Amino acid sequence: MGVSGMGLRARGRGGRFLRCVLFSGAALPLLSLTAASVRAQPPQSPSSSLLPAPSTMLVDNAPPVAQALARDIAPYGEFNATRFVGWHPLAQEMLVMRRAGNTQQLFLLTDAMGKLQQLTRGRDPVRAAQFEPRRGDYVLFSRDSGGDEATQLFRLDLKSLHEVALTPAGEQFSVGPWNTARDKVIITARPLDRHGKRDQATLEVFAIDPLQPEARFRLATLNGAGWRVLRWFDGENRVVLSETVSPTRSRLWSMDLGSGKRTDLGDADAGPEAIGDRDRWLYRRRFDGEFAKLSRVDLRNGDRQWVTKEIESDVDDWSVSTVGRRIAVLSNTLGGSQLRLYDLSDSANIKPMTVPALPPGLITSTSWHRNGRDLAFSVESADSPGEVFVLDTDLGMVTRWTYPSTVAGVKRPFTEAEPISWRSFDGLVITGFMHRPNAKEFPGKRPVIIAVHGGPEGQARPGFRGRVNYWINELGYAVIFPNVRGSAGFGRRFLEADNLKKREDSVRDIGALLDWIHAQPQLDPQRVALMGSSYGGYMVLASSVMYSPRIAAAFSSFGISHFVTMLENTESWRRDLRRSEYGDERDPDMRRFLDGISPLTHADRIRVPLMVTHGRNDPRVPVSEAEQIVKKVRANGTPVAYLVAEDEGHGFSKKVNADYQFAVQTAFLERYVGKRVSARAVVALQ
């Protein structure tokens, strides 16, 4: 359908459509428009009772949001998590990340529970940061533009807060390890091709002095995806590399920078690596049977010692003290986290240490101070979006370093995650977490939202639910976070149970969940909505193909609609890693299979009201994945609401965009799910 002389439509009061003229001229496909030419303009007779869209948001056929609804929702978007970033190398000070206005920015915290000093400002969020490692004189940080993941590196002077760009725009840069003297650092870059696009599966390795960035020099060029530089032994002119081969397998290499010769150091599972004890020990995670466990290897002779041999659960993360005498390990047990400490002062004997009582919640990261005594860790819970604590491992004392933001206008308490389980089509037990609304306030069968995580190697865990608490506490929805097969944290066989031609088995796990919901007396199987992002977006679309009659509404955010087109159009440095999970589209047989299971191929079977959102600059799942599914599902006569943010990438990182998306999503859910009516009987959006 062309758009000559036509406009975006919003339903006004009394069900009438409000219209704004976009432009006149030659007819163009609707989905080719951008917010640069169509700024989601207000209706010609604007109503102050409706929430306006952000200026960079293209809004197509979405339900209007009443200002009153937006005001009710607003407090639930005001929670502000604090994330630990790094310790000062000398002082008891730390960098933390926290939202400032619209985006995540960098702050300095000089005392426990002290005042946060904002260090960075800008329209785009800070992605990562670290102190200069000798005296902490300055900070290195990275930032992209509009979510395009072309991260530039900057040096921030801590006195003047002046920012100096160390790298050019357009390429994707990351900070690697420092040299022995700690006056030069490795940076890696994914270069631009001759067309000016980041379209090469090549990693260039440079060394720079951040105080003289113009003098950078190339150390190596690595062909292929998945490379990271872990350690730089500049005195020996070599580096230690990690090469991710698949989501469950990595290899470690020692590379001579003079000759380029690489020496294989063996397999290690994908995840963080660390070197400690004056560079003697290499710590790495690899599967031992079902679970990923931590070991250390003596770089002199190759001898291995297991650190977590006795733990029958996955190691998620670890941190080694600089002096190498202590190590903190986070293990994953059915979505929960457990902190374990080990004393490594006796190189021949690894001794567990006593861990004191810790604040309740999910521990998401740990980091040792250079003193080898103080361990910073971040915790989130149903009631807290994330705060930072410090454990003095000598005294066994925990100190809170940050305080939660005070938010008025929300209904508490927030409900805790309730573990649930069900059997799938083949007898495999699938688990998840459910949040129930207050039964006294919301009696009777409750509508249900199934929120599927991305990855696919992600995992639903019992953390903070943010804006979703509005649906639970204010509207009375039950919300389920399933861990379908392919999720991390349940062993290797479960993690690989959806690989390649087993892809649709995970979708059938959702079908079994729908059966489970039908058997629950407190849940309404006629009012079930699905939502998911990235791979979770694929799960939503695929479930809408298989189970449309059993779903009242579906919401897919930056989701995969066709595996072949996604693999062909995603950035090349990611392509091989995704092929190891989904299959190689260049193989004719696999290409036919991928086409056959893709939601786009069966879009005529999607008869459930659908909402799709995407970031224009998404380098992982291109916006074309959204455009093609919207166009094809609309051809069925199925109502589709569509939002595109011109200043976002793989996810909405700017608060104004996330707020608007959630408000529209709430209006969408209330139209199709909130009331006990058939979706077929609802007046269509278009």
Side-chain angles (χ1 to χ4, degrees):
M1 180 179 66
V3 294
S4 178
M6 297 189 66
L8 301 179
R9 295 183 295 175
R11 195 179 300 275
R13 302 181 71 176
R16 294 182 297 112
F17 279 109
L18 304 175
R19 189 187 213 198
C20 77
V21 176
L22 303 182
F23 58 86
S24 56
L28 296 172
L30 175 61
L31 299 181
S32 71
L33 300 179
T34 68
S37 59
V38 186
R39 295 287 185 181
Q41 300 291 336
Q44 288 180 333
S45 299
S47 171
S48 60
S49 65
L50 297 180
L51 177 70
S55 61
T56 56
M57 186 81 73
L58 185 153
V59 181
D60 182 11
N61 217 33
V65 178
Q67 287 279 14
L69 175 62
R71 286 193 294 270
D72 288 345
I73 294 171
Y76 288 84
E78 293 304 316
F79 289 94
N80 202 348
T82 304
R83 181 167 66 87
F84 176 84
V85 175
W87 281 109
H88 190 283
L90 302 178
Q92 290 288 97
E93 302 175 359
M94 64 175 66
L95 295 174
V96 297
M97 203 89 75
R98 191 177 175 90
R99 192 186 71 242
N102 201 33
T103 56
Q104 295 289 318
Q105 298 298 329
L106 200 60
F107 291 81
L108 176 66
L109 186 57
T110 59
D111 297 290
M113 300 295 286
K115 183 178 180 180
L116 291 170
Q117 177 188 350
Q118 187 171 345
L119 302 179
T120 60
R121 289 171 169 80
R123 63 181 182 181
D124 289 298
V126 171
R127 299 298 185 184
Q130 60 176 265
F131 278 109
E132 176 272 318
R134 289 185 298 178
R135 296 180 297 273
D137 289 340
Y138 57 86
V139 169
L140 297 184
F141 73 92
S142 61
R143 178 194 288 137
D144 63 4
S145 178
D148 63 1
E149 299 187 17
T151 45
Q152 281 184 269
L153 303 181
F154 298 84
R155 185 185 75 238
L156 176 72
D157 182 88
L158 288 174
K159 294 181 179 179
S160 67
L161 300 186
H162 177 63
E163 299 176 5
V164 176
L166 304 182
T167 57
E171 299 181 45
Q172 183 188 61
F173 290 91
S174 299
V175 176
W178 293 76
N179 65 350
T180 305
R182 297 181 180 271
D183 60 353
K184 293 181 178 62
V185 65
I186 280 180
I187 63 172
T188 58
R190 298 200 179 277
L192 301 176
D193 64 13
R194 59 190 178 88
H195 302 294
K197 296 182 178 180
R198 200 166 64 247
D199 195 28
Q200 299 182 37
T202 301
L203 192 71
E204 292 185 336
V205 182
F206 298 93
I208 67 166
D209 176 352
L211 296 177
Q212 297 178 316
E214 66 280 357
R216 72 177 184 178
F217 54 95
R218 182 181 284 104
L219 296 176
T221 299
L222 302 171
N223 294 318
W227 289 105
R228 286 189 300 140
V229 183
L230 304 179
R231 194 73 164 194
W232 181 17
F233 297 102
D234 54 326
E236 304 171 26
N237 201 31
R238 69 182 177 95
V239 292
V240 176
L241 306 171
S242 171
E243 180 191 17
T244 301
V245 180
S246 73
T248 59
R249 179 170 175 256
S250 293
R251 298 195 67 80
L252 298 172
W253 304 86
S254 176
M255 179 177 177
D256 184 286
L257 293 173
S259 65
K261 181 181 178 181
R262 294 199 292 261
T263 301
D264 191 349
L265 299 179
D267 278 4
D269 179 40
E273 288 83 20
I275 298 176
D277 276 3
R278 297 179 179 84
D279 304 332
R280 172 183 173 184
W281 296 104
L282 172 66
Y283 294 85
R284 63 189 189 183
R285 187 180 71 169
R286 61 174 295 176
F287 278 99
D288 177 51
E290 270 297 289
F291 297 102
K293 300 183 179 182
L294 188 65
S295 66
R296 64 176 185 171
V297 176
D298 193 324
L299 289 174
R300 302 171 304 176
N301 55 31
D303 289 347
R304 178 195 304 277
Q305 289 179 311
W306 288 99
V307 178
T308 63
K309 182 73 172 179
E310 79 287 358
I311 302 175
E312 288 303 305
S313 58
D314 280 338
V315 168
D316 272 345
D317 194 12
W318 68 92
S319 177
V320 182
S321 64
T322 304
V323 293
R325 296 177 181 174
R326 288 174 180 172
I327 185 168
V329 177
L330 288 179
S331 61
N332 182 332
T333 304
L334 299 178
S337 61
Q338 184 173 2
L339 174 65
R340 301 170 188 265
L341 301 175
Y342 298 90
D343 184 344
L344 309 175
S345 55
D346 181 355
S347 61
N349 188 20
I350 301 173
K351 298 180 180 179
M353 298 172 60
T354 300
V355 179
L358 301 175
L362 183 71
I363 303 175
T364 56
S365 66
T366 62
S367 180
W368 290 98
H369 190 276
R370 188 175 289 185
N371 63 22
R373 171 176 176 169
D374 294 320
L375 180 73
F377 61 99
S378 299
V379 180
E380 66 172 279
S381 65
D383 198 55
S384 171
E387 301 301 328
V388 180
F389 298 81
V390 173
L391 168 62
D392 183 326
T393 54
D394 283 355
L395 299 179
M397 183 173 65
V398 176
T399 303
R400 173 188 282 274
W401 268 65
T402 64
Y403 48 87
S405 55
T406 301
V407 178
V410 296
K411 186 185 296 182
R412 290 183 184 268
F414 295 153
T415 63
E416 296 287 341
E418 170 192 334
I420 61 172
S421 63
W422 62 95
R423 288 194 178 274
S424 194
F425 68 97
D426 57 355
L428 184 66
V429 175
I430 308 298
T431 63
F433 296 97
M434 179 166 64
H435 295 262
R436 298 179 187 266
N438 187 304
K440 292 183 179 179
E441 186 173 358
F442 298 102
K445 288 179 174 287
R446 304 314 309 155
V448 183
I449 300 169
I450 300 174
V452 190
H453 67 69
E457 308 89 2
Q459 183 183 15
R461 307 186 73 171
F464 187 67
R465 302 308 185 196
R467 295 175 180 85
V468 171
N469 285 305
Y470 178 82
W471 293 338
I472 302 167
N473 279 14
E474 304 284 355
L475 300 183
Y477 287 84
V479 183
I480 295 174
F481 296 85
N483 280 311
V484 297
R485 68 190 71 200
S487 302
F490 303 93
R492 185 168 192 164
R493 281 180 294 182
F494 194 88
L495 183 65
E496 297 177 342
D498 67 338
N499 285 5
L500 303 176
K501 292 191 175 182
K502 297 178 286 186
R503 180 63 47 204
E504 286 190 312
D505 287 354
S506 60
V507 184
R508 295 184 181 94
D509 293 339
I510 297 296
L513 176 56
L514 293 172
D515 293 338
W516 182 88
I517 291 171
H518 194 276
Q520 306 306 306
Q522 302 86 12
L523 304 180
D524 188 345
Q526 302 302 315
R527 294 188 292 166
V528 178
L530 283 177
M531 61 177 284
S533 302
S534 193
Y535 178 78
Y538 156 74
M539 289 290 292
V540 167
L541 295 172
S543 298
S544 298
V545 169
M546 285 192 179
Y547 308 115
S548 259
R550 306 176 66 184
I551 301 170
F555 170 69
S556 171
S557 183
F558 44 100
I560 301 167
S561 62
H562 198 283
F563 284 108
V564 173
T565 58
M566 189 279 293
L567 288 168
E568 290 178 338
N569 295 319
T570 191
E571 290 206 335
S572 59
W573 67 272
R574 300 187 69 254
R575 192 171 293 128
D576 285 341
L577 296 178
R578 293 297 85 198
R579 284 169 174 159
S580 69
E581 168 75 29
Y582 301 135
D584 192 334
E585 83 288 356
R586 297 169 298 184
D587 175 77
D589 178 64
M590 181 56 72
R591 190 181 186 94
R592 284 190 295 271
F593 173 78
L594 291 174
D595 176 71
I597 67 168
S598 292
L600 186 69
T601 304
H602 307 287
D604 59 310
R605 293 165 56 186
I606 298 179
R607 299 288 179 172
V608 56
L610 178 65
M611 179 175 170
V612 176
T613 67
H614 219 102
R616 177 73 65 187
N617 305 318
D618 191 340
R620 303 186 181 209
V621 180
V623 70
S624 54
E625 292 296 301
E627 292 174 339
Q628 61 193 13
I629 195 68
V630 168
K631 181 179 180 180
K632 199 163 183 181
V633 172
R634 279 181 175 166
N636 304 333
T638 300
V640 182
Y642 184 39
L643 305 181
V644 178
E646 296 292 325
D647 56 346
E648 298 281 13
H650 196 65
F652 286 6
S653 63
K654 295 181 174 63
K655 184 177 182 297
V656 63
N657 293 331
D659 283 346
Y660 185 77
Q661 175 185 253
F662 186 81
V664 174
Q665 189 177 359
T666 301
F668 181 81
L669 288 170
E670 282 293 273
R671 172 173 287 182
Y672 292 107
V673 185
K675 297 182 179 180
R676 193 187 300 272
V677 293
S678 167
R680 307 299 182 270
V682 177
V683 177
L685 290 177
Q686 59 183 8

